[in-house]
Amino acid sequence: MQSAESSRNRNRSPAHMGLHLGPLLLSAVLVLLVSLPSQIDARMAFEKLTDFDFPGNTYYSVKNLSLYECQGWCREEADCQAAAFSFVVNPLSPSQETHCQLQNDSSAANPSAAPQRSANMYYMVKLQLRSENVCHRPWSFERVPNKVIRGLDNALIYTSTKEACLSACLNERRFVCRSVEYDYNNMKCVLSDSDRRSSGQFVQLVDAQGTDYFENLCLKPAQACKNTRSFGNAQKMGVSEEKVAQYVGLHYYTDKELQVTSESACRLACEIESEFLCRSFLYLGQPQGAQYNCRLYHLDHKTLPDGPSTYLNHERPLIDHGEPIGQYFENQCEKAAGSGAGSPPGTLDKIDTLPVSLDTIEDPNLTNLTRNDVNCDKTGTCYDVSVHCKDTRIAVQVRTNKPFNGRIYALGRSETCNIDVINSDAFRLDLTMAGQDCNTQSVTGVYSNTVVLQHHSVVMTKADKIYKVKCTYDMSSKNITFGMMPIRDPEMIHINSSPEAPPPRIRILDTRQREVETVRIGDRLNFRIEIPEDTPYGIFARSCVAMAKDARTSFKIIDDDGCPTDPTIFPGFTADGNALQSTYEAFRFTESYGVIFQCNVKYCLGPCEPAVCEWNMESFESLGRRRRRSIESNETKSEDDMNISQEILVLDFGDEKREFFKADPSTDFAKDKTVTIIEPCPTKTSVLALAVTCALMILLYISTVFCYYMKKWMQPHKIVA
């Protein structure tokens, strides 16, 4: 393992604070103005954030480095201000693939900058601390942004910078400084001999905007706890030991590996480790050949932002290599006998002990059917959980047989994705599919999350329910399926659903973005294939054909690979949000004014991969095919393709004034509701001429009738003898 830093000259006097406080009670607070002696030079140190990240300018990036190589490079680089070290689990191995990014500009030093949650991330910030007690370890402090511990302060001082506050903790001699809280706005520095693992009192991190919590990682192993330090398994965290050990083996970064003969030897190695503060270890059983069977970690469940719930949101690897899972042990601080802080050490401190008493009364009216139903708890509350897969969210609808009080939230996102329920028997939680608010995971068209129905506002109990929710988006099917069944883990239930993909449509727009149905040859048009914007799907088009109205003539404008056959007539498609578009000039066939466009459209989950096309010795991209894997899996399923069509009327210049156009039976578009032929409006002169003609015809008719009767009347009547 690489050491943190080469030693420096130590011929300076130790730091000394101006005033002595004497013995302090836990509740004593004294306000001081601290000025460190100027003769102590600043020494380089690092603070670390777990599963948090800050925006910054990355000037160097490299993969597959160890954590200590990454931190060592930043230490040696004068321009490096922070190092972001991330590692991801390869589900096929399983193994960890690392990524180290060195930043010469980081917002971590800006108190108003908001950190971002980032899984499997160690963010290390370079500091300059004026203290001779800076340890030769990779980092000196663990930082938790916007958090504090209430009521366990030993000293309150004022410092102008965070670095001065951290230096004061390292220089403290009256008590062992285990944690620090620094208020950036008021320049308050709080020193405490307690941390998140202290026993004998209620310890909990609470939100405090503008104040950060720091834990001293330069402590000696014997100083990690106020009293006696021991190691215990994870059974008191409310999660199965196997699940915790499996998560640790995959998602904890191993600080040191060694081969030991027994579990006690692995425990001893963690207890005496001096290169870093060892908080936990994983024992993999008896050694097999030259393989390491003991892994040491600086992490424990207290270090994780989500605490023990982190272990619940974990799935088994895709491939089981048969390697042992092992036994996981964490350090526990023993508490004094009785409730007093000064009592001698005695019984073991329980992990996550909270001053909360929950009285769960079992309903006497429970039947055996209710007791055995996976959707009912022992209080008689039964849950009817359904899932509705939307375009941009997963809606989890819950109905109960009796009013429910508590909360429903996404596991691991209890603060950003939750609903408080007060005396209600029907409620809903919307899980966003994008962003980190609900941490919805997506793999090959399947969006999944874990939802917790919790009775108490703070703690989880056996009466709570955990549901694994999945939405499967099938790009070729239009059916919606729903199913619910319990999975292997009795603590969790699977709920699966598949939403309907929105149908596409074709729109043809002019240069003013107006939809048109009648155009002239040469008009510049925008051909668009659209689906709603608020959907996770993308689309691709291929095998597009332009046909004459009589269907006797056709012209393929986009081939089967998604490339244009002649870009001078109809260019390839480009992406516009979720839509595809191509700008072309209107054309028609010789024997027909009506042009029908027909395209074969399929779906992708997310943006589709463009096709690489060639024309006149040049290459270009056209969004006409989906990702290669999707093409291969759908080549034999042509029945799942969706064909859409649109018709447009294309006129020659001056055609709207020609009379034969109205009488030509081959151009009768009255049967198609999507086409409108615009006739010219009659003029005032034509109306007047028509009126005069009608009047003359009526006058002629009257004159004819009048002459006929006059002639008949003037003719002499014959007298019959």
Side-chain angles (χ1 to χ4, degrees):
M1 177 174 296
Q2 184 175 343
S3 61
E5 187 182 11
S6 60
S7 60
R8 301 188 179 186
N9 296 329
R10 296 172 177 253
N11 55 359
R12 307 178 183 89
S13 60
H16 183 70
M17 297 178 64
L19 296 176
H20 293 280
L21 300 182
L24 289 176
L25 297 177
L26 288 176
S27 60
V29 176
L30 183 63
V31 180
L32 295 176
L33 179 62
V34 174
S35 60
L36 294 174
S38 59
Q39 65 267 24
I40 300 181
D41 294 334
R43 294 192 174 187
M44 185 184 301
F46 283 84
E47 66 179 17
K48 180 182 76 74
L49 294 92
T50 302
D51 290 347
F52 282 101
D53 188 14
F54 279 96
N57 180 44
T58 300
Y59 72 95
Y60 188 78
S61 176
V62 62
K63 294 184 177 181
N64 296 327
L65 284 184
S66 70
L67 171 62
Y68 302 99
E69 288 174 333
C70 179
Q71 190 262 357
W73 279 28
C74 186
R75 181 183 294 273
E76 298 299 328
E77 290 279 341
D79 294 335
C80 181
Q81 294 187 8
F85 180 83
S86 60
F87 53 96
V88 296
V89 177
N90 185 342
L92 300 179
S93 302
S95 62
Q96 293 178 345
E97 300 175 355
T98 65
H99 187 200
C100 175
Q101 301 179 73
L102 304 185
Q103 298 180 350
N104 55 11
D105 183 23
S106 173
S107 61
N110 183 4
S112 61
Q116 302 171 350
R117 287 293 301 272
S118 181
N120 296 345
M121 166 70 74
Y122 296 156
Y123 193 83
M124 299 165 284
V125 183
K126 186 182 291 186
L127 304 173
Q128 297 293 332
L129 303 181
R130 293 185 177 273
S131 175
E132 288 190 342
N133 298 323
V134 173
C135 56
H136 304 297
R137 291 178 177 174
W139 40 80
S140 299
F141 288 91
E142 176 86 24
R143 175 181 173 186
V144 183
N146 300 318
K147 297 288 186 180
V148 296
I149 292 179
R150 299 293 190 192
L152 299 177
D153 306 340
N154 287 78
L156 171 63
I157 59 179
Y158 287 87
T159 60
S160 58
T161 63
K162 173 188 68 177
E163 287 76 5
C165 179
L166 299 180
S167 300
C169 179
L170 295 178
N171 294 325
E172 183 57 53
R173 292 186 172 185
R174 297 164 303 241
F175 57 90
V176 178
C177 180
R178 292 185 173 86
S179 66
V180 180
E181 297 166 5
Y182 187 70
D183 185 346
Y184 296 93
N185 297 324
N186 301 312
M187 295 185 293
K188 291 182 180 180
C189 175
V190 176
L191 309 181
S192 175
D193 65 349
S194 301
D195 61 11
R196 291 176 287 183
R197 298 162 188 85
S198 297
S199 60
Q201 58 270 324
F202 174 51
V203 179
Q204 184 184 21
L205 285 177
V206 296
D207 294 333
Q209 195 66 31
T211 302
D212 287 348
Y213 171 81
F214 301 85
E215 283 185 345
N216 185 1
L217 299 182
C218 286
L219 298 174
K220 298 177 181 179
Q223 297 175 324
C225 293
K226 283 186 177 182
N227 300 302
T228 306
R229 182 189 185 202
S230 65
F231 285 84
N233 53 33
Q235 64 181 358
K236 296 180 181 180
M237 288 189 291
V239 187
S240 66
E241 296 181 41
E242 180 183 357
K243 202 174 187 69
V244 175
Q246 188 178 67
Y247 181 92
V248 170
L250 291 176
H251 296 277
Y252 275 24
Y253 184 84
T254 304
D255 294 286
K256 179 181 283 191
E257 287 183 302
L258 59 157
Q259 189 179 79
V260 296
T261 58
S262 63
E263 175 197 313
S264 59
C266 188
R267 183 193 309 268
L268 178 61
C270 186
E271 289 177 346
I272 65 176
E273 179 59 48
S274 60
E275 295 183 6
F276 61 93
L277 188 57
C278 182
R279 301 280 194 191
S280 61
F281 67 90
L282 183 67
Y283 177 65
L284 299 176
Q286 291 297 320
Q288 303 291 332
Q291 293 183 352
Y292 296 121
N293 62 337
C294 178
R295 299 178 183 177
L296 307 183
Y297 308 102
H298 72 275
L299 294 178
D300 59 3
H301 80 277
K302 295 283 189 180
T303 314
L304 304 175
D306 295 322
S309 62
T310 306
Y311 306 126
L312 295 175
N313 194 18
H314 165 61
E315 296 183 354
R316 292 180 178 271
L318 298 179
I319 297 179
D320 187 359
H321 292 266
E323 298 180 355
I325 297 176
Q327 294 177 287
Y328 175 69
F329 298 88
E330 283 189 355
N331 63 179
Q332 304 174 16
C333 294
E334 294 184 357
K335 63 183 178 181
S339 59
S343 301
T347 58
L348 291 177
D349 179 21
K350 293 184 179 180
I351 300 179
D352 284 342
T353 301
L354 299 177
V356 178
S357 176
L358 295 178
D359 296 329
T360 304
I361 302 175
E362 188 167 329
D363 192 341
N365 297 322
L366 288 176
T367 64
N368 290 331
L369 179 62
T370 303
R371 293 177 190 271
N372 297 328
D373 191 346
V374 71
N375 291 300
C376 299
D377 56 33
K378 62 180 181 180
T379 65
T381 304
C382 295
Y383 308 91
D384 179 15
V385 182
S386 59
V387 171
H388 304 279
C389 299
K390 305 295 184 181
D391 292 336
T392 57
R393 70 185 190 279
I394 301 175
V396 181
Q397 183 73 39
V398 182
R399 297 183 182 276
T400 60
N401 62 339
K402 58 176 63 176
F404 177 82
N405 286 280
R407 60 200 303 245
I408 176 174
Y409 61 90
L411 188 64
R413 293 294 186 269
S414 59
E415 296 182 358
T416 59
C417 189
N418 68 88
I419 294 293
D420 292 327
V421 183
I422 301 176
N423 200 33
S424 175
D425 58 1
F427 45 92
R428 187 186 75 186
L429 174 66
D430 288 336
L431 303 172
T432 57
M433 299 174 64
Q436 295 295 321
D437 289 345
C438 293
N439 196 30
T440 301
Q441 305 295 319
S442 63
V443 179
T444 61
V446 179
Y447 286 77
S448 62
N449 209 323
T450 303
V451 176
V452 180
L453 284 167
Q454 182 173 302
H455 291 77
H456 195 268
S457 60
V458 177
V459 298
M460 293 180 63
T461 66
K462 291 184 178 180
D464 299 332
K465 290 293 180 181
I466 301 175
Y467 291 88
K468 187 72 174 182
V469 176
K470 289 186 179 181
C471 276
T472 302
Y473 290 82
D474 189 349
M475 278 77 76
S476 61
S477 175
K478 292 299 178 182
N479 297 324
I480 301 177
T481 61
F482 170 78
M484 183 175 67
M485 64 177 183
I487 61 174
R488 295 178 184 176
D489 190 346
E491 301 172 350
M492 194 176 296
I493 297 174
H494 265 175
I495 302 179
N496 304 321
S497 182
S498 299
E500 183 178 2
R505 65 167 180 166
I506 293 178
R507 297 177 65 214
I508 299 179
L509 310 178
D510 61 10
T511 55
R512 297 183 181 180
Q513 299 303 308
R514 297 177 304 182
E515 192 165 1
V516 294
E517 295 173 344
T518 303
V519 296
R520 295 186 180 90
I521 289 181
D523 285 356
R524 194 169 182 80
L525 304 175
N526 189 8
F527 186 97
R528 293 176 60 86
I529 303 177
E530 299 178 342
I531 59 174
E533 286 290 338
D534 56 346
T535 175
Y537 290 108
I539 55 174
F540 66 97
R542 60 183 179 183
S543 302
C544 294
V545 179
M547 298 180 294
K549 174 69 177 180
D550 56 9
R552 290 180 295 181
T553 308
S554 64
F555 170 61
K556 179 171 283 191
I557 54 178
I558 301 293
D559 62 18
D560 296 339
D561 294 327
C563 294
T565 57
D566 189 347
T568 60
I569 297 178
F570 195 94
F573 287 110
T574 59
D576 183 22
N578 283 0
L580 303 179
Q581 66 177 2
S582 175
T583 302
Y584 76 105
E585 293 182 353
F587 61 87
R588 74 171 181 86
F589 293 91
T590 306
E591 68 278 7
S592 176
Y593 287 89
V595 179
I596 300 175
F597 293 94
Q598 179 175 308
C599 280
N600 179 279
V601 180
K602 281 195 174 183
Y603 292 92
C604 305
L605 192 59
C608 295
E609 182 181 351
V612 179
C613 310
E614 293 186 359
W615 176 260
N616 289 340
M617 305 300 292
E618 293 183 358
S619 297
F620 60 94
E621 291 185 347
S622 175
L623 277 167
R625 66 180 175 94
R626 69 184 306 174
R627 303 183 189 275
R628 184 177 302 275
R629 179 177 59 186
S630 300
I631 293 176
E632 294 173 354
S633 63
N634 287 278
E635 283 180 349
T636 60
K637 297 177 64 176
S638 60
E639 67 273 13
D640 293 331
D641 296 352
M642 172 174 286
N643 294 322
I644 57 175
S645 61
Q646 176 73 14
E647 185 175 345
I648 190 170
L649 181 65
V650 183
L651 307 180
D652 292 331
F653 290 104
D655 273 350
E656 66 274 13
K657 297 181 181 179
R658 293 163 58 179
E659 295 181 0
F660 79 89
F661 178 74
K662 304 177 213 174
D664 188 357
S666 66
T667 58
D668 183 13
F669 294 90
K671 299 178 182 179
D672 196 334
K673 297 181 180 180
T674 63
V675 178
T676 302
I677 301 177
I678 303 174
E679 298 287 353
C681 296
T683 62
K684 184 177 180 180
T685 304
S686 61
V687 173
L688 183 59
L690 180 61
V692 172
T693 302
C694 292
L696 291 176
M697 291 180 66
I698 293 173
L699 182 60
L700 180 61
Y701 174 76
I702 295 174
S703 300
T704 303
V705 173
F706 178 76
C707 292
Y708 172 77
Y709 281 103
M710 286 297 295
K711 183 177 180 181
K712 188 175 181 180
W713 181 74
M714 299 263 322
Q715 197 173 23
H717 297 279
K718 295 181 179 181
I719 300 174
V720 180

